[in-house]
Amino acid sequence: MNHQKFAEEWISAWNSHNLDRILSHYSEDIEISTPMIAMATGGKESTLKGKEAVRGYWQKALDKFPDLDFKLIQSTAGVESVALFYQSIMDKYAVEVMFFNEEGKINKMYAHYD
């Protein structure tokens, strides 16, 4: 997999605000961990499991930030994984580490914010 091409498509999908396009990168058993979940749930949890749970969370995020516009800074490749460094919402910088299953879909993702 070309990590730069993947990164550009991933950023483009988010900037399109098309939730189905965004979710097309993820497996049904996706597990995401991010401090933003803790903010949204009042600190009750920081991990979501399953595409439908993630869909609901991301739909709320897209509704809350209608002007969302990520800007890719750097992508790096790992073993069946990529890390994307980008400018996110609320003038934050983010690093997301994404791990891929055998079908090439993201099945685990960790986000880090400044």
Side-chain angles (χ1 to χ4, degrees):
M1 170 200 336
N2 179 316
H3 69 88
Q4 185 65 33
K5 184 177 177 185
F6 168 83
E8 290 168 4
E9 165 54 29
W10 186 89
I11 292 284
S12 178
W14 273 99
N15 289 345
S16 77
H17 298 209
N18 180 323
L19 189 53
D20 289 330
R21 182 175 170 198
I22 294 165
L23 286 167
S24 72
H25 296 101
Y26 298 86
S27 66
E28 290 298 323
D29 63 345
I30 179 64
E31 180 177 315
I32 67 169
S33 296
T34 167
M36 293 295 192
I37 295 170
M39 284 176 49
T41 63
K44 295 184 186 98
E45 56 187 311
S46 58
T47 299
L48 291 174
K49 295 179 182 178
K51 206 172 204 178
E52 286 311 305
V54 170
R55 174 187 290 278
Y57 168 68
W58 282 343
Q59 184 61 64
K60 289 177 187 169
L62 288 170
D63 292 345
K64 185 174 181 175
F65 299 100
D67 59 344
L68 177 145
D69 183 46
F70 293 163
K71 291 181 178 46
L72 182 65
I73 297 168
Q74 183 72 44
S75 69
T76 58
V79 176
E80 296 186 32
S81 63
V82 297
L84 305 184
F85 176 42
Y86 64 96
Q87 188 170 359
S88 183
I89 57 172
M90 302 182 298
D91 292 325
K92 290 186 177 290
Y93 287 91
V95 173
E96 290 201 23
V97 182
M98 303 171 200
F99 298 88
F100 297 90
N101 65 15
E102 52 281 350
E103 285 95 38
K105 299 287 185 180
I106 302 163
N107 64 351
K108 191 168 287 214
M109 182 274 291
Y110 296 95
H112 307 77
Y113 295 89
D114 70 342

